[in-house]
Amino acid sequence: MSYKDFIADQNRSCAIVAHRGAWHGAPENSLASIEKAIAVGADIVEIDVRKSADGELFLMHDDTLLRMAGIDRDAETFTMAELQAIALREDNGGEHRATTDQRIPTLKQVFETIRGRIFADLDLKDRDLFSEVAACAREMGVASFVDLKTTVMTREDLDWVRAQDIEGVPFMAMVYFTAGNVSERFSLLSEIKPFMCELRFDHLDTIARNRRLFEEANMAIWFNTLDMAASGEWTDPRALIEPDAIWGRLMDVGISTIQTDEPAALRRYIEARTASRKPAESRVAG
């Protein structure tokens, strides 16, 4: 099944996105974190893509290697051979974390790992790599398993996306919705028809009231419950305490893809939520 077909399936449960891989127990953005994401039942792995000094695409979130390897130097000033000689720190890094046997992977290594096993959300730290990354995905036979994304909130954003050669790779728009801009945002999005929107909102009611617009446009809704300001009150730490009030409420208004640093916990919650609803559904069917 392709990524787009999976997302479009009306019968699926909420899709789980492992942020930088399942990094509890494996370095973020490593092959081990991707394997762990697969093992805990994530549907999608979010990874960060950069370009080395000698032109190789590789995984790393930060500008420098300080947090993940203790080296205070820009990651993109290293050659790929130099990068792969560096040991990554465990989990999400920091000076208190031990080093591991994991090395910084190339994007091609990642594509070999995910093919047919898990989908990937590609967060390019330089969006000018769009066409190059899309070409790599086509060359490696994973174009239908990955997405590319960028902000689409102005006519200039729209024109930029249209100018990129990303044929065969699903596109996701990153959008901020408020009660007053829904019509304007949908007017822009209708011109490029992204298969999904990674969104932020002023109030959850804004999304709830306009759920039908997303459904009619065949645009799935992605939200990040990461522990960051952009998530507002809808964060993983709160979800671990009150999953119904956070993850459950988001799903209730039509959000069908959640990016999290707690993919195993979200998987357990979705399974329990699904199981608790089965008896009522069976009674109605009978």
Side-chain angles (χ1 to χ4, degrees):
M1 178 184 291
S2 72
Y3 193 177
K4 289 180 73 170
D5 286 344
F6 168 72
I7 291 298
D9 183 359
Q10 297 296 314
N11 297 315
R12 67 174 173 84
S13 59
C14 180
I16 299 169
V17 186
H19 179 231
R20 305 180 196 169
W23 55 260
H24 293 289
E28 69 175 37
N29 277 313
S30 67
L31 295 180
S33 73
I34 295 171
E35 290 290 355
K36 197 158 190 278
I38 294 169
V40 302
D43 304 290
I44 305 161
V45 61
E46 184 265 359
I47 54 177
D48 301 291
V49 181
R50 294 182 176 275
K51 190 174 182 178
S52 71
D54 57 342
E56 287 291 326
L57 299 166
F58 69 95
L59 268 56
M60 180 62 57
H61 177 271
D62 296 359
D63 290 340
T64 78
L65 299 179
L66 184 59
R67 179 169 58 89
M68 289 308 300
I71 301 171
D72 192 8
R73 176 177 155 188
D74 285 354
E76 294 178 357
T77 65
F78 290 85
T79 66
M80 198 63 235
E82 290 171 332
L83 289 169
Q84 294 209 296
I86 296 169
L88 290 168
R89 287 172 168 169
E90 63 187 2
D91 296 352
N92 63 342
E95 61 182 15
H96 59 296
R97 301 287 192 188
T99 56
T100 71
D101 62 355
Q102 289 292 297
R103 299 295 191 264
I104 298 169
T106 67
L107 187 61
K108 287 183 177 180
Q109 286 176 312
V110 171
F111 285 168
E112 288 284 3
T113 300
I114 68 165
R115 187 187 294 110
R117 304 175 69 207
I118 192 170
F119 303 114
D121 168 59
L122 308 180
D123 189 349
L124 310 190
K125 307 326 284 184
D126 176 1
R127 74 175 190 173
D128 285 337
L129 295 174
F130 251 54
S131 297
E132 182 175 347
V133 170
C136 181
R138 289 192 294 267
E139 176 189 340
M140 297 292 293
V142 297
S144 65
F145 285 89
V146 304
D147 72 48
L148 288 168
K149 65 184 181 183
T150 193
T151 300
V152 180
M153 290 193 284
T154 66
R155 174 62 55 181
E156 290 73 22
D157 293 335
L158 186 72
D159 291 342
W160 187 91
V161 173
R162 282 176 160 165
Q164 309 311 303
D165 179 11
I166 60 172
E167 183 179 357
V169 178
F171 174 72
M172 176 163 67
M174 301 168 71
V175 188
Y176 178 54
F177 280 98
T178 68
N181 72 17
V182 171
S183 177
E184 173 194 343
R185 294 287 190 256
F186 265 96
S187 178
L188 276 176
L189 294 174
S190 68
E191 296 186 37
I192 52 173
K193 297 180 172 56
F195 81 120
M196 186 155 52
C197 287
E198 178 180 328
L199 56 76
R200 293 183 295 116
F201 48 75
D202 55 351
H203 302 289
L204 189 60
D205 284 349
T206 298
I207 305 307
R209 286 194 299 268
N210 292 284
R211 178 175 181 173
R212 185 180 294 267
L213 288 176
F214 287 95
E215 292 172 347
E216 290 174 349
N218 294 314
M219 285 188 288
I221 307 174
W222 162 312
F223 186 75
N224 301 324
T225 59
L226 309 173
D227 189 12
M228 60 183 190
S231 297
E233 65 187 285
W234 309 93
T235 64
D236 289 335
R238 283 199 61 197
L240 293 176
I241 299 169
E242 302 177 281
D244 285 330
I246 303 300
W247 288 329
R249 180 66 181 130
L250 292 170
M251 293 178 208
D252 287 342
V253 302
I255 290 170
S256 63
T257 303
I258 293 176
Q259 180 174 202
T260 176
D261 283 319
E262 303 291 343
L266 180 53
R267 171 56 64 198
R268 290 192 296 271
Y269 173 70
I270 290 171
E271 290 175 349
R273 174 183 165 100
T274 301
S276 69
R277 296 185 174 200
K278 281 183 178 177
E281 292 171 357
S282 297
R283 286 195 297 273
V284 171

